[in-house]
Amino acid sequence: MMTGQWLLLERTEQLLPELYRLGEAPDPIRLFDDTELAECEEESPLLINAQTNPPVLAAAQSQPKAWPGLLLETAGPTEELLTHLRQILFIRFDQERRGVLRYSRQRTASYFFPACDHETRPTWLGPIQRLSWYGGTWHDCADGREAWHHIENQQATIWQAGAITYEQRLSAMQEQALQRQRGEHFLYQWWKQQSGIHFETAWNYLAGGMQAGFASAESLSTYLNLRYASPQVAPPATLPGSTDQERLDALAQHLATSTTDKESTA
């Protein structure tokens, strides 16, 4: 059976004009149609037949940052692929919480799909034989390591339509991956405003702040600023105080005192 190629593209301001400029018959299919997200049509990713639009495929492969999304390869019919893609939009996590998984975003894909092990991968990829995207995690972005990623699904040929009849529940590994995505995104926003600090070092600072009990964006940002300003000084094992501000004040005092002591003995 011949394998077909599809592009699942994120909506950008330039997407539709470029599709109709390059495509011979783009015929975009909105992913959110026929789902409870149908009213959000302007935000819906678009599914494009890559084989009938080779110039679009070539542009997406040569300039992937300008064409954010996924490249899908499948031997199944269009409707089966579309049904599956819509099915895995809606997920259950953290006991009974329900959400939308924006897996077509390359950054999310870089965390989520590598967290699908050999047991869960066939469920999430369904009829997709090969999934490809360009990008990486926020850590990859900070280190300049963005690249093409590929995941194979050897069980795609035996997948049957209707295999998923309910909303999928995230595994512990998948939940942890998405939590790390949120943490690294927060850190990336802070990191890019600094200079002379490796992302891995900043990640260790953030982990230390969370272990110390700081949870709000404001308190964690202050913790990062304090650690960044005194990189040679280790924080105390515990911080006294009953509020975030009291513990941040204690940390600031400890770092200032330790820095002064080091300078006086130098």
Side-chain angles (χ1 to χ4, degrees), residues 23-96:
E24 298 174 12
D27 297 327
I29 302 172
R30 287 191 294 263
L31 183 64
F32 289 173
D33 282 357
D34 298 324
T35 76
E36 58 193 87
L37 298 173
E39 293 183 357
C40 306
E41 60 181 46
E42 295 300 320
E43 300 177 29
S44 176
L46 300 180
L47 185 66
I48 311 296
N49 189 327
Q51 287 183 282
T52 58
N53 296 276
V56 175
L57 176 60
Q61 290 177 321
S62 62
Q63 297 179 300
K65 288 188 176 182
W67 296 81
L70 309 177
L71 174 60
L72 318 171
E73 299 179 34
T74 178
T78 305
E79 283 307 314
E80 285 188 3
L81 173 63
L82 195 54
T83 297
H84 177 75
L85 294 175
R86 287 169 174 165
Q87 182 74 52
I88 62 174
L89 274 172
F90 303 98
I91 56 170
R92 296 280 179 177
F93 63 100
D94 190 20
Q95 302 298 325
E96 293 303 322

Side-chain angles (χ1 to χ4, degrees), residues 157-205:
T157 55
I158 60 174
W159 180 86
Q160 295 182 349
I164 301 178
T165 58
Y166 53 88
E167 292 169 355
Q168 287 301 106
R169 186 175 300 279
L170 298 183
S171 68
M173 186 181 298
Q174 290 164 339
E175 287 198 33
Q176 289 168 5
L178 295 179
Q179 288 170 359
R180 187 176 182 93
Q181 178 185 2
R182 290 190 290 272
E184 287 191 0
H185 184 206
F186 166 79
L187 184 63
Y188 183 84
Q189 298 301 315
W190 176 87
W191 172 85
K192 69 179 182 179
Q193 299 178 48
Q194 318 305 324
S195 61
I197 180 172
H198 293 297
F199 191 87
E200 184 65 31
T201 301
W203 177 257
N204 291 334
Y205 288 172

Side-chain angles (χ1 to χ4, degrees), residues 4 20 28 108 132 146 155 163 166 169 172 174 183 223 235 237 241 252 255:
Y20 285 98
T108 299
S132 305
E146 292 185 300
Q155 296 190 43
Y166 53 88
R169 186 175 300 279
Q174 290 164 339
Y223 182 92
L255 295 176

Side-chain angles (χ1 to χ4, degrees), residues 90-107:
F90 303 98
I91 56 170
R92 296 280 179 177
F93 63 100
D94 190 20
Q95 302 298 325
E96 293 303 322
R97 296 179 66 186
R98 185 170 184 265
V100 175
L101 179 65
R102 290 301 297 264
Y103 57 84
S104 53
R105 291 175 175 167
Q106 293 155 305
R107 196 71 69 201

